[in-house]
Amino acid sequence: DSLASNDSLSLLGELRRLQRSEPWLDPLQLLRTVTVNPARALRRENQLGRITPGALADLIAIPFSHKMETIHEEVVAFAKPIPWMMIDGKIRL
């Protein structure tokens, strides 16, 4: 996507818009649409879309309430700037 088709480049913002237009998709399904599903489509399940040994080190960290039963909802709902990220194994602040 680009700014030609969206008002933001935020992946989480895209997920929230999708959630509003397709309310039957639960937050776990939404997160899978941008992590494990694309990795599977690219046949790179062991390198992309997961936090496991040997996977490529691109990830973000965001605060949450420590309630595991709401973690997926909290990730999708997070609308602030991402406070911590790692790209190609290097921390970016």
Side-chain angles (χ1 to χ4, degrees):
D1 287 340
S2 72
L3 292 176
S5 60
N6 299 294
D7 60 359
S8 168
L9 295 177
S10 168
L11 186 60
L12 295 176
E14 286 283 325
L15 290 181
R16 288 189 296 278
R17 279 190 286 283
L18 179 58
Q19 187 176 44
R20 284 191 297 274
S21 68
E22 304 294 337
W24 57 272
L25 289 169
D26 67 52
L28 178 57
Q29 290 172 304
L30 291 168
L31 290 171
R32 286 180 175 158
T33 66
V34 296
T35 57
V36 295
N37 291 349
R40 187 172 43 245
L42 294 169
R43 296 186 177 143
R44 296 183 69 190
E45 300 95 330
N46 296 325
Q47 294 176 308
L48 303 173
R50 299 180 187 278
I51 303 172
T52 59
L56 297 178
D58 288 356
L59 52 97
I60 64 170
I62 58 174
F64 80 107
S65 69
H66 300 282
K67 295 178 185 175
M68 292 307 293
E69 62 273 7
T70 62
I71 191 165
H72 302 110
E73 291 90 349
E74 291 183 50
V75 172
V76 172
F78 190 77
K80 296 178 181 177
I82 302 297
W84 187 95
M85 68 180 72
M86 179 181 286
I87 301 170
D88 291 332
K90 296 181 179 110
I91 296 172
R92 311 278 190 207
L93 300 176

